[in-house]
Amino acid sequence: MITTLETPKEILGFEITGKLKKEDYNKLEPLMDKQQKEFGSLKLLAVYDEFEWPTTEALKEDLKSYFKYDINKLAIVSKTKWLREATDSIPELMPKKIQSKGFESKEKAIDWLQK
């Protein structure tokens, strides 16, 4: 499930709880469309309560979003160390230039996204 978070207006923030499904991305897409239209590129903040692998359909939607949107920065906040470390590797896997970083706190992630 995806719930939007209160963040500075140039950042689209959301909290992820439980197993992500394709329907979650259907709710997220209009928000990403609006944000990109307003700011030209996206600064995303994803906060994971506890990481669960998404469904296959949700994973496909997630991967498609990296190609559909101009994602400038992605910050992932998680207590899970391997997820934070994997986030740091996203730029090496994507054909578009994207900055990504894992954090333990939402405040530090927002500070990095605003720079």
Side-chain angles (χ1 to χ4, degrees), residues 58-99:
L59 187 56
K60 287 178 192 176
E61 293 303 311
D62 185 55
L63 291 172
K64 285 195 291 188
S65 70
Y66 288 102
F67 296 93
K68 179 178 180 182
Y69 296 101
D70 181 13
I71 301 171
N72 179 276
K73 284 186 165 184
L74 169 64
I76 292 184
V77 177
S78 176
K79 295 179 271 181
T80 307
K81 183 179 179 183
W82 73 262
L83 182 57
R84 292 191 313 268
E85 291 174 353
T87 301
D88 296 345
S89 299
I90 289 174
E92 298 170 28
L93 305 173
M94 294 296 130
K96 292 182 177 180
K97 182 176 170 147
I98 179 174
Q99 297 177 58

Side-chain angles (χ1 to χ4, degrees), residues 23-61:
E23 296 80 30
D24 294 313
Y25 282 93
N26 294 340
K27 294 175 188 172
L28 188 58
E29 270 194 355
L31 300 173
M32 292 175 73
D33 289 338
K34 181 180 180 221
Q35 193 80 3
Q36 183 163 296
K37 188 174 186 177
E38 185 172 348
F39 295 99
S41 64
L42 298 174
K43 292 181 179 181
L44 302 176
L45 170 67
V47 177
Y48 281 87
D49 179 40
E50 292 290 330
F51 180 80
E52 280 189 54
W53 284 103
T55 65
T56 303
E57 294 80 18
L59 187 56
K60 287 178 192 176
E61 293 303 311

